[in-house]
Amino acid sequence: KQLQCDMIEVRELISMVLKKRAEAGIKVRQPLATLKFKVESSKSKVRAELLDLIKDEVNVKEVVEDKALEENVWLDTTITAELKNEGVAREVVRHIQRARKDEKLTAKDIISIFYYSPDLFSVIESSREYICLQVKARGISDVGIDKMKNTKEILIDGQKIWFSFKK
């Protein structure tokens, strides 16, 4: 019963945070640093596993319970270069996953990724391990656009990436 009550509160909190993200025009895939939410007393601490759930659902690095907070929810909407790069990497993963699905690949299918993006080269290179892990790729290579087959073009924050992959 207590868990059900806690989950109702957690869902309400998540809903408030998602509304704040929408008002700020920040997609959920874009990680943010900190979420603070008001607690009435020291007895109303949220269990650690529920804090982890909140972190995952609203995509923040840190969740802080705060008795002195004036509003119910405060969300740090500052996007640092590091957070921005992580958001770009997640967008790249999303597009590759969609392309895998369109090609009817299964979770067992391992791919090699080829890309070209002068604007986002450093972001992709610094995120290569994460991208490969998320999309089940043995590797990711920067190649010339003319060396790719079945190239897909995506636009992330006004910057183009061309990619293709093979099984």
Side-chain angles (χ1 to χ4, degrees):
K1 294 249 185 226
Q2 184 60 47
L3 180 58
Q4 286 177 331
C5 290
D6 291 347
M7 281 305 296
I8 289 169
E9 288 180 28
V10 166
R11 284 187 185 134
E12 288 174 3
L13 175 62
I14 289 170
S15 179
M16 284 189 280
V17 175
L18 293 177
K19 183 178 178 186
K20 282 206 177 269
R21 286 186 81 111
E23 288 169 355
I26 301 172
K27 296 177 183 177
V28 178
R29 260 186 301 289
Q30 174 60 59
L32 295 174
T34 308
L35 162 66
K36 291 183 183 182
F37 67 95
K38 188 173 189 164
V39 291
E40 297 305 318
S41 68
S42 58
K43 292 180 182 178
S44 62
K45 290 275 184 189
V46 176
R47 299 192 315 214
E49 63 270 16
L50 294 178
L51 289 176
D52 288 340
L53 175 65
I54 294 166
K55 270 193 219 178
D56 290 343
E57 289 294 313
V58 300
N59 196 10
V60 294
K61 301 290 183 184
E62 179 184 33
V63 177
V64 178
E65 298 170 288
D66 190 339
K67 287 190 290 188
L69 198 62
E70 290 185 22
E71 51 190 315
N72 287 334
V73 173
W74 177 85
L75 185 62
D76 183 355
T77 57
T78 304
I79 301 173
T80 63
E82 183 179 307
L83 290 172
K84 181 70 174 165
N85 291 348
E86 190 176 333
V88 168
R90 288 179 181 209
E91 277 293 315
V92 169
V93 165
R94 182 178 71 85
H95 285 283
I96 294 171
Q97 294 289 48
R98 181 184 299 150
R100 282 181 62 102
K101 184 178 178 182
D102 292 347
E103 295 294 320
K104 299 189 179 7
L105 297 181
T106 68
K108 292 180 183 177
D109 293 324
I110 307 297
I111 62 173
S112 293
I113 303 167
F114 307 97
Y115 80 95
Y116 174 73
S117 180
D119 296 332
L120 295 173
F121 173 81
S122 62
V123 175
I124 294 171
E125 288 299 308
S126 67
S127 305
R128 60 187 309 119
E129 195 173 302
Y130 168 78
I131 293 169
C132 287
L133 180 66
Q134 295 300 309
V135 302
K136 306 246 181 183
R138 68 180 63 81
I140 183 169
S141 303
D142 173 38
V143 298
I145 195 167
D146 57 324
K147 296 181 181 177
M148 290 188 262
K149 294 180 182 174
N150 301 320
T151 306
K152 292 163 185 40
E153 179 183 311
I154 56 176
L155 194 64
I156 299 176
D157 294 334
Q159 299 176 324
K160 291 183 181 180
I161 301 173
W162 294 268
F163 76 93
S164 66
F165 57 83
K166 70 176 184 177
K167 233 168 98 168

